[in-house]
Amino acid sequence: MPQYQIGLSPKLSGEVGVSTAKNAVLPILAAALLTQEEVLLHQMPKLTDVDNMLSILRSCGAEVKQEGRDAVIHARWIASPDENGLERAMRASVLILGPLVARAGECSLSMPGGCAIGQRPIDLHLKGMQRLGAKVETQGGMVHVTGELRGANIYLDFPSVGATENLVMAASLARGVTRIENAAKEPEIADLCGFLTAMGARIAGAGTANIIVEGVERLHGAEYTPIPDRIEAGTLACAAALTEGSVLLEGARTDHMRALLFKLTESGVICQEDARGLRLRGKARHPMEARTLSYPGFPTDMQAPFMVVATQTHGLSVFLETIFENRFMHVVELKRLGARIRVEGQLALIEGGRPLNGAHVTATDLRAAAALMLAGLVSQGQTLVSDPAGHLMRGYERLEEKLARLGADAVKLPQAARTN
Ligand code: EPZ
């Protein structure tokens, strides 16, 4: 079981690079199934979610080669993945649905695994596929989607990121024009559309609530480098804000981080865009209000890391989680460190300004794991973060090493030195 030991941190300083975005890479990898030609992707982050997706592509029949941070995917022919645990292991496996039906006319998937933050239904994906002419049958935990796709007008009841991505991919090879209204506007969707366009797709309105896709006969191979990870950058920005650091986040796209940077600035941190990325100086001092919303609102993936910042500001902060039904599991663990947080339904009240004390805490999901690492930076003594499900490595490329490079006392314990 991965375990991380974090000591009370000095002011972080220096510069660290931001990895390519997990939530851009995963749909782009799925999109590689849309062409029978070779696709070359650069700067692949070393994450278990990426490894899992590459394994799922292989189980769909694609040839996958990796050289350093390059990935070459060649899906000469494809079929539904053979039944194995992988699809259940990762929510993002649902993203092969659109490509498989668009290219092979059918897809059978085990209903994807959620994670602890919510039941994660896929009703909007399936309803959209039906609008495109597909037949959907669910039986025994499996979903079978079949049919020739034709363009349609689709309205998403909720701007679901995954549903938008699946439907754009499916529509890119459908016969006719598809309009997706109330689409999600996250930067990762615009990036997926950039990759699809490089493959010859015809898409307008990428990154807006109204996306129009004119289906084409076939898509060709492409070479692409996905965008940097705004959530990893936001997590590192919170580490700087907690420790009154002076840090440069190399490659960060500040235009993807407006909501978070506004909140950090409001709280007293100096955030400066720099030709090389994002420079942060100073400490978060004032309590804040954060309501998680679809992009460009405050990102739900930043809720847990940002809550740690709130525990160190003087006063009462109020967080409202509107995207997932169960995304406060990090609160119990933060309270073990001495944080004073009260949860009422989707509302969390954080009474900040109290010192935290190191303890043994357990990661419950990906962003909670990162939040507990950050909390260790401002806890007296040592904090041991146990991560039995390996959540952290799903979405952060050696976060402990990046924090250590900035001066933090953060290490991943060798597996043998397990501390129960
Ligand atoms: C993506 O998940 C991200 N994952 C999540 O990041 C992120 O938190 C989320 O978007 C919101 O920004 C990837 O991109 C791989 P949604 P996704 O569909 O696509 C409900 C992380 O930490 N919903 O926008 O699953 C759903 O239950 C992860 O990196 C339906 O009801 O998010 C949730 O409450 C966590 N029916 C809300 O919408 C559906 O068919 C948002 O889901 C689909 C979604």
Side-chain angles (χ1 to χ4, degrees), residues 2-6 359-363 369 372-373 383-387:
Q3 291 188 309
Y4 304 88
Q5 186 152 300
I6 319 286
H360 183 180
V361 290
T362 304
L372 294 172
M373 302 276 281
T383 296
L384 181 69
V385 180
S386 287
D387 184 7

Side-chain angles (χ1 to χ4, degrees), residues 229-378:
D229 194 320
R230 62 191 169 99
I231 306 300
E232 183 201 37
T235 305
L236 292 165
C238 289
L242 279 164
T243 60
E244 197 170 3
S246 175
V247 164
L248 170 68
L249 302 182
E250 180 111 45
R253 283 279 300 268
T254 54
D255 55 326
H256 294 164
M257 304 169 69
R258 305 303 310 153
L260 174 72
L261 296 183
F262 185 83
K263 290 289 168 193
L264 285 174
T265 305
E266 247 188 344
S267 180
V269 181
I270 299 165
C271 307
Q272 269 163 339
E273 181 163 3
D274 174 288
R276 296 173 58 204
L278 167 62
R279 230 175 252 286
L280 297 123
R281 266 183 311 115
K283 186 176 167 64
R285 299 187 186 287
H286 313 299
M288 63 282 279
E289 295 198 6
R291 172 195 300 252
T292 63
L293 292 168
S294 299
Y295 193 87
F298 188 88
T300 175
D301 294 347
M302 282 307 306
Q303 183 255 106
F306 199 56
M307 187 179 283
V308 181
V309 178
T311 69
Q312 300 306 297
T313 57
H314 295 272
L316 183 69
S317 291
V318 181
F319 280 33
L320 182 65
E321 172 57 56
T322 75
I323 303 293
F324 288 106
E325 63 268 33
N326 189 29
R327 208 171 194 178
F328 282 141
M329 280 164 306
H330 45 286
V331 170
V332 171
E333 298 304 309
L334 291 177
K335 288 169 83 165
R336 289 167 64 83
L337 299 170
R340 295 189 79 169
I341 306 171
R342 189 158 153 216
V343 171
E344 295 283 342
Q346 295 301 93
L347 206 60
L349 305 174
I350 302 104
E351 188 192 329
R354 306 171 57 81
L356 302 181
N357 297 299
H360 183 180
V361 290
T362 304
T364 50
D365 60 81
L366 167 56
R367 304 303 173 184
L372 294 172
M373 302 276 281
L374 297 187
L377 300 176
V378 288

Side-chain angles (χ1 to χ4, degrees), residues 4 44 54-55 63 72 108 148 173 186 218 231 238 242 261 281 301 313 351 354 363 402 412:
Y4 304 88
M44 290 293 100
L54 290 171
S55 302
E63 224 177 283
V72 176
S108 293
E148 282 270 303
L173 288 180
E186 273 68 5
R218 72 184 56 227
I231 306 300
C238 289
L242 279 164
L261 296 183
R281 266 183 311 115
D301 294 347
T313 57
E351 188 192 329
R354 306 171 57 81
K402 293 195 177 186
K412 183 179 180 184

Side-chain angles (χ1 to χ4, degrees), residues 18-31 41-54 69 89-93 95 113-115 117 120 161 165 186-189 191-192 225-233 235 256 300-302 324 327 365-368 370 390-397 402:
V18 176
S19 299
T20 310
K22 164 177 86 78
N23 291 348
V25 166
L26 294 176
I28 284 171
L29 286 173
L41 300 174
H42 297 296
Q43 294 301 326
M44 290 293 100
K46 298 190 184 315
L47 303 170
T48 47
D49 269 10
V50 172
D51 296 341
N52 283 341
M53 184 58 93
L54 290 171
R69 286 180 178 271
M90 186 174 70
R91 153 99 190 150
S93 57
L95 292 173
C115 50
I117 63 176
R120 314 292 292 276
V161 171
E165 290 165 343
E186 273 68 5
E188 292 76 23
I189 290 169
D191 204 31
L192 169 64
T225 303
I227 54 173
D229 194 320
R230 62 191 169 99
I231 306 300
E232 183 201 37
T235 305
H256 294 164
T300 175
D301 294 347
M302 282 307 306
F324 288 106
R327 208 171 194 178
D365 60 81
L366 167 56
R367 304 303 173 184
H391 288 297
L392 193 72
M393 294 185 293
R394 284 185 44 219
Y396 289 92
E397 196 171 349
K402 293 195 177 186

